[in-house]
Amino acid sequence: MNILADILSATILFAAPLLMVALGGMFSERSGIINIALEGIMIIGALCSCLFLRVLDDSGFGALHPQLAMFYAVLMAAGTGALFALLLAFASINLKADQTIGGTALNMFAPAFAIVLTWAIQGQGQTTILIPTWARITQETFGIVEKDTFLQNLIFKSFYQTTIWAIVLLIAAVIVLYKTRFGLRLRACGEHPQAADSVGINVYRMRYAGVFISGVLGGIGGLAYTLAAGSAFQSTVSGYGFLALAVMIFGNWKPWNILGASLFFALFKILGSYSGSIPFLPKFENIKASENIYLMLPYIVTMIVLILTSKKSRAPKSEGIPYDKGRR
Amino acid sequence: MSEKKKRSFRLPNMTSFFASMISIGIGLVFGLILLIILNPEASGEAFVSLISAGFRSSDKFAKVLYQAAPLIMTGLSVAFAFKTGLFNIGATGQYTVGGAFALIAAIQLQQPWYVCLILALIGGAFWGLFPGLFKAYFNVNEVITSIMFNWIAMFAVNLTINNLPMMLAKYWGGAQMDRTANLAQANPSALIPRLGLDELMNSNYMNISIFIAILFAIVAWIILSKTTFGYELKACGFNRNASIYAGINAKRNIVLSMVISGAFAGVGGGLYFLAGTGQYTLLKQLLTAGFNGIPVALLASSHPIGTIFSALFVSYIQVGGDAMQPDFVKEIIDIIISVIIYLAAFALLMRELLTRRSMLAHDAEGDTPLPPADPEEKSEVSES
């Protein structure tokens, strides 16, 4: 039973960053901008929030009010991610550049900048930023006695504030996208910007908003990934930004589908890393390094599902096309 | 008509060259400022080695050429796909599979270098087949397929190499467990020939791979701009429906574009691993070489011949970056390159302005295509 709790809690832990970043990508693409820079945005969000956590730890504030400090870190990740994303918005909206150009530049900039900055702050060769131990939510946070039960293992094994934020932001995303005037306008700009413009919607402003929101979600997602991946930030999010892009397409640019896609992908990923300790899975004893088979599994399964569901797949019609007022 | 067409094709090439030069200049100045901020005392010396290390000695220059060869190939891979309207973010996977095919041919099958290189080409093409097929027949976005197949390639190659005992360095008396055999021990005939260039340049990095890469760039240029086949590929990229209407088999062309693009990346992997100076390490991280093809292609505005020069430039300042150590991190180079690419967006704007001005000056007939609008001209339409 304990292994089941472990697998489920790890799945949720890894699904949270995928979910948030994919939702970010969704907002950007729904407004008409392909955001390939999600990887870079995640790194910048994680970098700044982890540095901020270090500062809070050194000043003693973090140990006193751990969850309040985490809340500030989340805000930091969101803010820096959004600022960084504005660079993409400027290149692709104002300059009407190819959206992959700006995105590639940001993806290349972020990890290099992270390494340069961590070196500059922490001294030569110090490329990791340790995350304070108080960041995790434990039984202690709620004053509950620690017990080795299924439920406690499920919830507290790896529980961070970012997981709560993932749920809150998912609900917020659904409401904003489908229940507000803003959401309707945003979607219109991704489908038919000329029509949106003709009824008085400022397409440039809506696209800026879409990219900004993707920066907020991508930044928090970066922090969530770093918390999930280990005890330190190492100037990388190991391709999770690109995976989130895949999850977004897998989820057909719809929030609930994206939730399903990220849980599905995370579950297969965790099954891969736990494959040795799950009794009913085949072990492939005569093959060396057979763990690679399980590590491949999430990607292969995703591809198969994509082929099966591709008939229904529908991207926002005008994504990737710079909007030009002169061409109606 | 034909004369006018020629002019409008030639003109953007020159202006895009100047635009790229200006971007590079600004990028380097940005790098200098960054160096001064980080460490003012060492910055002057570091900047000098950044911009001159590649020419300082013949072995450094050999390193530039050695690094540039695979970069040209992955750059070509991305550029070829861009030209045909596809975004090949999977050059990494194709590079990995190409490299693995080459190494298996070299070590397990004991083949000479040219056979290994052909297998690298086939390996890359094979891995490019999947995004192409999925895009053409199942309507799956090539970006997502490429990303997924990058990871599948890495795990599949790790799995395969682990299960071929001859492949690992340990079998040939090497100390490391986690990498493939040293080619000089396992099969010297699989090494890419050096033709005495290594002695001439005084560097064991030097071989003929740069010339092979340049040859491929010329082939790519001929395919794209001199053949009907290339025209069809580009037409599908511009407007799939229009090309179907014109009788072009769009599905077949999408698959072929990706296969050719993958083949270029595969050869890149082959060139790198058959040089004998790099061994495939069984890591759980994607090789960055394929991703570096994207900036190379963008810097060259996806022109096949341009990728030769942009790859040489990227390689040149990477060698410069290595020379800046240990005072500075070599990742500063990536920052400079990213700034240059970002400025390419401005370059696009500049190019449009230049093209428009010269068209207005030269064209009196009045049937010029509508020039792209200036972003400054946009009027503010307020909400509600």
Side-chain angles (χ1 to χ4, degrees):
Chain A
M1 257 340 231
N2 261 344
I3 180 107
L4 182 65
D6 282 356
I7 289 174
L8 287 180
S9 75
T11 301
I12 294 166
L13 183 69
F14 275 95
L18 277 180
L19 171 65
M20 283 190 279
V21 182
L23 283 176
M26 177 195 77
F27 271 103
S28 177
E29 297 216 351
R30 277 293 178 107
S31 78
I33 306 284
I34 296 179
N35 192 347
I36 213 143
L38 286 170
E39 178 96 357
I41 294 169
M42 283 179 82
I43 292 176
I44 293 293
L47 166 75
C48 296
S49 54
C50 288
L51 280 175
F52 189 59
L53 279 175
R54 288 309 312 164
V55 171
L56 291 176
D57 188 44
D58 290 340
S59 68
F61 178 83
L64 279 176
H65 311 281
Q67 290 316 310
L68 189 62
M70 272 303 286
F71 176 65
Y72 290 149
V74 168
L75 288 184
M76 187 78 180
T80 48
L83 273 181
F84 192 61
L86 287 182
L87 287 172
L88 173 73
F90 180 68
S92 46
I93 299 170
N94 294 95
L95 301 180
K96 299 186 177 66
D98 187 317
Q99 293 164 7
T100 48
I101 298 183
T104 305
L106 297 195
N107 280 341
M108 203 164 177
F109 180 86
F113 180 71
I115 290 174
V116 170
L117 194 69
T118 14
W119 262 48
I121 291 176
Q122 300 195 339
Q124 256 187 16
Q126 302 283 316
T127 49
T128 54
I129 308 173
L130 289 174
I131 294 167
T133 47
W134 42 259
R136 192 161 73 94
I137 298 178
T138 57
Q139 285 92 332
E140 209 184 317
T141 318
F142 295 102
I144 303 169
V145 184
E146 198 173 329
K147 271 195 210 134
D148 193 26
T149 61
F150 177 74
L151 200 63
Q152 286 212 2
N153 270 327
L154 174 65
I155 297 175
F156 292 112
K157 181 88 182 190
S158 38
F159 188 28
Y160 291 97
Q161 214 186 90
T162 44
T163 311
I164 304 173
W165 280 106
I167 299 165
V168 172
L169 289 168
L170 168 70
I171 295 165
V174 174
I175 294 171
V176 167
L177 199 65
Y178 292 119
K179 303 285 176 199
T180 64
R181 201 165 62 164
F182 171 78
L184 184 65
R185 291 181 169 178
L186 189 89
R187 284 182 286 148
C189 291
E191 293 295 335
H192 201 312
Q194 287 82 0
D197 199 353
S198 71
V199 293
I201 298 169
N202 187 337
V203 178
Y204 297 114
R205 195 188 290 169
M206 294 314 279
R207 289 195 164 179
Y208 256 100
V211 177
F212 187 85
I213 296 172
S214 81
V216 169
L217 288 162
I220 304 176
L223 175 62
Y225 170 79
T226 310
L227 293 172
S231 53
F233 172 71
Q234 290 172 321
S235 304
T236 172
V237 292
S238 10
Y240 256 62
F242 292 120
L243 278 184
L245 211 61
V247 163
M248 177 198 69
I249 299 173
F250 188 10
N252 212 356
W253 293 269
K254 293 191 181 102
W256 292 115
N257 296 22
I258 289 175
L259 172 69
S262 53
L263 283 172
F264 176 89
F265 191 86
L267 177 66
F268 273 95
K269 193 160 179 67
I270 297 304
L271 280 182
S273 37
Y274 276 84
S275 62
S277 47
I278 301 172
F280 58 85
L281 289 177
K283 290 285 178 292
F284 303 110
E285 263 153 19
N286 47 0
I287 297 175
K288 281 180 203 150
S290 63
E291 74 274 8
N292 281 306
I293 297 173
Y294 284 106
L295 292 171
M296 240 189 281
L297 205 62
Y299 306 95
I300 293 176
V301 175
T302 306
M303 276 327 303
I304 293 170
V305 174
L306 274 171
I307 290 173
L308 295 178
T309 58
S310 64
K311 285 278 175 281
K312 285 186 212 147
S313 170
R314 220 186 64 79
K317 211 168 201 160
S318 298
E319 65 167 18
I321 306 164
Y323 179 61
D324 194 330
K325 260 183 187 298
R327 279 184 207 146
R328 280 217 185 136
Chain B
M1 184 64 211
S2 70
E3 196 188 332
K4 190 188 295 171
K5 205 169 158 192
K6 224 182 242 168
R7 189 172 65 228
S8 61
F9 269 119
R10 194 183 298 151
L11 199 68
N13 281 345
M14 272 320 280
T15 42
S16 71
F17 173 75
F18 284 119
S20 293
M21 292 320 271
I22 295 169
S23 306
I24 288 171
I26 299 174
L28 288 174
V29 171
F30 185 89
L32 176 62
I33 295 170
L34 196 67
L35 293 177
I36 293 171
I37 294 171
L38 287 172
N39 185 351
E41 287 148 39
S43 63
E45 199 186 324
F47 190 71
V48 171
S49 42
L50 167 67
I51 55 170
S52 69
F55 280 138
R56 203 170 281 170
S57 61
S58 66
D59 67 313
K60 283 270 194 281
F61 189 63
K63 185 101 189 267
V64 172
L65 298 179
Y66 157 79
Q67 287 183 351
L71 270 180
I72 292 175
M73 295 313 299
T74 50
L76 267 183
S77 169
V78 179
F80 195 90
F82 267 143
K83 280 277 183 196
T84 57
L86 298 163
F87 183 31
N88 180 16
I89 201 169
T92 296
Q94 294 139 15
Y95 177 92
T96 308
V97 172
F101 269 46
L103 284 174
I104 290 170
I107 303 169
Q108 193 78 20
L109 307 174
Q110 295 286 318
Q111 296 296 319
W113 67 276
Y114 47 89
V115 175
C116 300
L117 211 54
I118 291 169
L119 271 162
L121 185 137
I122 293 170
F126 172 59
W127 220 247
L129 183 67
F130 293 101
L133 281 179
F134 288 7
K135 166 99 177 177
Y137 293 97
F138 299 105
N139 188 30
V140 182
N141 192 314
E142 79 276 10
V143 174
I144 181 173
T145 317
S146 302
I147 293 170
M148 293 292 161
F149 271 85
N150 281 343
W151 292 90
I152 296 174
M154 181 187 71
F155 293 124
V157 167
N158 283 356
L159 184 69
T160 313
I161 288 181
N162 263 309
N163 284 289
L164 296 171
M166 265 174 88
M167 294 298 294
L168 295 173
K170 204 174 53 168
Y171 183 92
W172 303 89
Q176 295 105 333
M177 300 277 287
D178 64 339
R179 59 194 62 191
T180 55
N182 187 344
L183 273 187
Q185 286 169 350
N187 179 9
S189 72
L191 289 171
I192 292 175
R194 296 186 165 144
L195 300 181
L197 286 168
D198 52 334
E199 281 159 31
L200 186 76
M201 312 258 311
N202 191 24
S203 161
N204 62 347
Y205 285 119
M206 192 57 208
N207 55 33
I208 60 165
S209 60
I210 182 78
F211 304 109
I212 297 173
I214 290 174
L215 201 69
F216 272 103
I218 294 170
V219 168
W221 176 71
I222 291 173
I223 292 178
L224 276 177
S225 44
K226 300 286 170 203
T227 65
T228 322
F229 172 60
Y231 183 81
E232 283 190 12
L233 291 183
K234 284 193 288 186
C236 283
F238 276 126
N239 191 336
R240 191 171 164 181
N241 292 328
S243 59
I244 293 170
Y245 182 70
I248 296 170
N249 187 343
K251 285 186 176 173
R252 190 197 64 157
N253 280 349
I254 288 172
V255 177
L256 282 177
S257 290
M258 281 310 287
V259 166
I260 295 172
S261 169
F264 287 138
V267 172
L271 288 179
Y272 180 76
F273 288 112
L274 293 176
T277 31
Q279 289 153 283
Y280 183 83
T281 321
L282 298 166
L283 280 179
K284 296 218 153 75
Q285 278 174 330
L286 296 178
L287 297 171
T288 52
F291 290 118
N292 287 342
I294 303 174
V296 168
L298 291 178
L299 210 55
S301 312
S302 304
H303 194 288
I305 305 295
T307 53
I308 301 173
F309 298 100
S310 62
L312 280 171
F313 168 74
V314 169
S315 171
Y316 179 79
I317 65 166
Q318 274 174 349
V319 169
D322 289 340
M324 292 192 316
Q325 290 176 323
D327 286 328
F328 293 96
V329 216
K330 67 172 191 297
E331 272 77 10
I332 287 175
I333 300 305
D334 288 346
I335 294 187
I336 294 175
I337 296 174
S338 69
V339 169
I340 293 172
I341 295 184
Y342 190 80
L343 289 170
F346 289 84
L348 222 64
L349 188 75
M350 207 149 55
R351 192 158 72 214
E352 282 183 355
L353 290 176
L354 283 172
T355 317
R356 181 163 63 159
R357 188 195 286 165
S358 57
M359 273 189 173
L360 289 176
H362 286 283
D363 243 289
E365 289 105 317
D367 61 345
T368 41
L370 206 67
D374 211 318
E376 275 91 6
E377 284 170 13
K378 69 162 190 260
S379 58
E380 287 295 319
V381 180
S382 61
E383 278 265 301
S384 75

